[in-house]
Amino acid sequence: MINLKKIPFYYKTIDMTSYDLLDLRTGESVEFYASYLNNEIQTQIRSRNKCKNTIDAKASDLKVFFEYIYNAQEIFFEKKLNINASLLSEIILSYPEYLTYGIHAKSTIAKETAKITNRKIVKNTTANRMLSTVNKFLSASSNHHQTLKIANDKNLINIELSSENIHKILLEKRLLSTFEKKLINEKSIIAQVVQGGAKYSNTNLFKTSYRGLNNLQEYKHFPIEYLEELLDKANTYRDRALWALCAGAGLRISEASQLLLEDINIVTEELKIFSYKDRIECFEGLNYEDIKYLSFKGRENNDAYFIEPFKRIFFESITLYLKFERPKALKHKYLFVTLSNKNKGKPLFATARSSLNRTIKIVQKKINCPKKNSNGDFYTIHSLRHFYGFWLLNYHTTPCGNTFKINEVQLFMGHAKLASTQKYAVIDKLISKEKMRQANSLLENKTLREYKKERIKALLDGK
């Protein structure tokens, strides 16, 4: 298996980390990878919406894609696979199946590559995000190469030829060693992918399809029935407060972990969410290594809108955390810090996300919480924010029975776009089915004409 290495580069001038992608066999970078990520960072800076997690996700998505390209082409040449289309189109257009079906893919290249990489399948929503990243990369790369008028290296083979002609043309060049052949093949494919892959990724063929195998759980929210027990079994007051905050006010973990002491008022039970930008106090007591982890995805309001009982749980737990767990006399003012002996007192936002999810995973095991999907994955802290949107849309009501509309949930979650809220505030199908059942019960033993008259009379009577 060919593995590519993500190399991080921290730029102090812009306070962001970018990446390069290296083939450790040759030390060469994947073409346009670093340039694209740098352009994405500059776009974020111009829009004052800097978010480290977004860049990290794009860097990882592209790494998965290029590792697939490298391994797929090697399998093609080593196993002499027979395909009907051009190699470039076959590799790119089989990528969605590689992500969602793995070793069960219909495409031979996708299936054989998944066996080598041991790729774990992902649900369609995750795959679509990854495909979107690849599509934007290939489109940007195509425009870049078109602008610079960079032609393909004429010394490399043309992989747009049919598969049966590739070996013939390669051998006509000269007698090459196996390693030379492999490098020529790889360079040719990568060059074609980067420079011309957009013509395939921009089509409707470059998307996921549903065949029934990828039946992962649809809902992303933490199971409602296990949420209160999760908080009760938290190992520290800090974790209990943090989880209650993400579930009860819908905060992102990046927002919650970057709160300052002055952002909460325990007496009035109020909490504000601010970006670290333009706040000098956010940089006080931090070193350069910690500063680079500061990020803010963007939020349309600064208020936290709590739902009970999580509001009570949060303020009770945060009071006990400040009294018994958070170290005294720290140089920085961040509310949540690490409690381990090794890095005790370090701001929580500067720790690895995996360590935060490891903590919540341990408690899920303790309470026998069901797995997130058929892959056996555990819920992450982000599932608590999903719970917030899901609960508000489906179950939260006023004493008069009034429910909350999607645009109100959008306000509470701080989203600028309604489409973002719709990913969290999804309709509970059980409620919809029950509504349909109850509505149908009113039609029993009645004609549609009779039912219409009854509904009109009820409306006129104000019922």
Side-chain angles (χ1 to χ4, degrees):
M1 175 184 172
I2 300 174
N3 290 305
L4 303 178
K5 179 71 173 179
K6 264 194 330 179
I7 307 298
F9 294 97
Y10 176 59
Y11 299 104
K12 291 183 180 180
T13 53
I14 58 175
D15 185 30
M16 285 288 283
T17 298
S18 189
Y19 299 90
D20 197 2
L21 192 61
L22 299 184
D23 180 351
L24 297 182
R25 300 169 303 164
T26 63
E28 294 182 351
S29 301
V30 172
E31 187 180 357
F32 196 62
Y33 177 90
S35 298
Y36 176 74
L37 292 179
N38 287 337
N39 289 337
E40 289 294 294
I41 288 175
Q42 295 299 330
T43 299
Q44 285 196 7
I45 291 175
R46 285 193 295 270
S47 63
R48 295 181 60 79
N49 190 28
K50 189 170 62 173
C51 183
K52 177 182 181 298
N53 293 338
T54 300
I55 298 300
D56 288 348
K58 291 184 177 182
S60 297
D61 289 347
L62 292 175
K63 178 178 182 292
V64 172
F65 174 67
F66 278 109
E67 283 185 336
Y68 171 69
I69 297 294
Y70 273 91
N71 285 283
Q73 61 83 28
E74 184 174 69
I75 289 171
F76 172 80
F77 287 109
E78 286 187 354
K79 296 193 174 184
K80 298 180 180 180
L81 299 180
N82 183 28
I83 59 175
N84 298 322
S86 70
L87 182 56
L88 177 62
S89 64
E90 179 71 18
I91 287 180
I92 292 181
L93 294 180
S94 62
Y95 185 59
E97 280 202 27
Y98 171 76
L99 294 176
T100 54
Y101 296 108
I103 60 175
H104 301 287
K106 289 182 178 179
S107 164
T108 302
I109 282 185
K111 178 171 61 178
E112 294 300 322
T113 306
K115 291 179 182 178
I116 297 298
T117 61
N118 196 27
R119 179 67 191 172
K120 183 183 293 187
I121 63 174
V122 298
K123 60 194 308 184
N124 286 352
T125 51
T126 301
N128 286 331
R129 187 211 73 213
M130 299 173 75
L131 294 177
S132 176
T133 297
V134 171
N135 187 31
K136 290 177 181 177
F137 169 85
L138 293 179
S139 296
S141 177
S142 177
N143 293 335
H144 170 74
H145 285 83
Q146 185 175 2
T147 302
L148 297 179
K149 296 181 180 180
I150 297 180
N152 291 331
D153 187 346
K154 298 186 183 299
N155 290 324
L156 299 179
I157 59 175
N158 181 3
I159 64 169
E160 282 291 42
L161 293 171
S162 59
S163 59
E164 62 268 19
N165 293 325
I166 291 179
H167 290 285
K168 178 182 177 182
I169 290 184
L170 178 62
L171 294 174
E172 283 178 354
K173 288 182 173 292
R174 66 179 177 87
L175 190 60
L176 303 174
S177 69
T178 302
F179 185 69
E180 285 178 314
K181 291 177 184 179
K182 181 183 293 186
L183 288 181
I184 286 179
N185 291 335
E186 291 175 0
K187 288 183 179 180
S188 181
I189 293 174
I190 294 300
Q192 289 286 342
V193 167
V194 173
Q195 297 178 28
K199 63 184 177 183
Y200 298 111
S201 64
N202 275 319
T203 67
N204 287 331
L205 297 175
F206 193 67
K207 63 181 182 180
T208 60
S209 60
Y210 181 75
R211 294 206 313 260
L213 176 68
N214 191 11
N215 58 345
L216 304 182
Q217 182 169 320
E218 181 178 356
Y219 298 125
K220 294 182 178 181
H221 65 272
F222 194 90
I224 297 171
E225 297 81 3
Y226 290 82
L227 187 48
E228 290 177 290
E229 189 176 3
L230 176 82
L231 299 180
D232 289 340
K233 299 295 183 181
N235 293 324
T236 63
Y237 294 125
R238 182 206 65 184
D239 289 344
R240 191 166 187 256
L242 182 64
W243 300 345
L245 181 59
C246 292
L251 268 66
R252 302 180 179 94
I253 185 60
S254 59
E255 295 169 340
S257 62
Q258 291 176 190
L259 290 172
L260 300 182
L261 292 168
E262 62 193 51
D263 294 335
I264 67 168
N265 190 322
I266 296 178
V267 177
T268 61
E269 294 191 340
E270 293 178 323
L271 185 147
K272 297 285 186 179
I273 308 115
F274 299 104
S275 168
Y276 70 92
K277 304 167 189 176
D278 304 322
R279 291 220 293 173
I280 297 176
E281 54 268 36
C282 288
F283 298 91
E284 294 177 353
L286 298 184
N287 55 41
Y288 283 118
E289 287 300 312
D290 292 339
I291 289 174
K292 70 180 182 181
Y293 289 103
L294 286 169
S295 64
F296 195 74
K297 196 169 185 179
R299 190 177 179 91
E300 289 299 295
N301 64 71
N302 303 122
D303 297 305
Y305 297 88
F306 275 98
I307 57 179
E308 291 290 4
F310 305 103
K311 182 177 183 179
R312 172 184 56 79
I313 294 173
F314 169 74
F315 283 103
E316 286 179 355
S317 302
I318 206 67
T319 302
L320 295 170
Y321 159 71
L322 292 173
K323 184 176 180 180
F324 297 111
E325 294 179 348
R326 188 181 186 276
K328 310 300 180 185
L330 294 176
K331 294 182 179 180
H332 63 78
K333 300 179 180 179
Y334 285 92
L335 174 63
F336 291 108
V337 301
T338 58
L339 301 177
S340 62
N341 291 328
K342 184 178 179 180
N343 296 306
K344 193 168 186 177
K346 183 177 181 178
L348 199 60
F349 72 83
T351 61
R353 183 70 60 85
S354 59
S355 64
L356 298 178
N357 286 325
R358 192 180 305 118
T359 305
I360 196 172
K361 174 182 175 180
I362 292 173
V363 180
Q364 288 178 66
K365 289 182 178 179
K366 188 184 300 185
I367 64 176
N368 294 320
C369 180
K371 298 297 192 299
K372 179 181 179 181
N373 52 44
S374 58
N375 280 341
D377 296 328
F378 287 88
Y379 288 94
T380 63
I381 289 183
H382 195 63
S383 68
L384 302 177
R385 177 168 164 83
H386 278 280
F387 159 80
Y388 182 78
F390 180 80
W391 180 269
L392 284 180
L393 184 67
N394 293 284
Y395 295 99
H396 213 54
T397 59
T398 66
C400 299
N402 296 322
T403 57
F404 291 89
K405 298 179 180 178
I406 187 69
N407 59 323
E408 293 174 310
V409 180
Q410 178 187 2
L411 168 68
F412 300 150
M413 299 192 74
H415 284 140
K417 298 180 180 179
L418 186 62
S420 299
T421 309
Q422 290 171 335
K423 296 177 182 179
Y424 294 85
V426 297
I427 297 174
D428 190 333
K429 289 184 177 180
L430 293 177
I431 291 180
S432 298
K433 289 180 179 179
E434 179 60 20
K435 285 182 178 178
M436 178 63 78
R437 188 194 67 77
Q438 292 184 16
N440 284 335
S441 68
L442 297 176
L443 279 167
E444 292 178 0
N445 303 319
K446 294 188 182 78
T447 65
L448 294 178
R449 180 177 296 179
E450 291 172 338
Y451 179 73
K452 177 183 176 182
K453 289 182 178 179
E454 288 183 5
R455 289 298 300 144
I456 292 176
K457 184 177 184 302
L459 289 172
L460 293 175
D461 294 339
K463 297 182 180 179

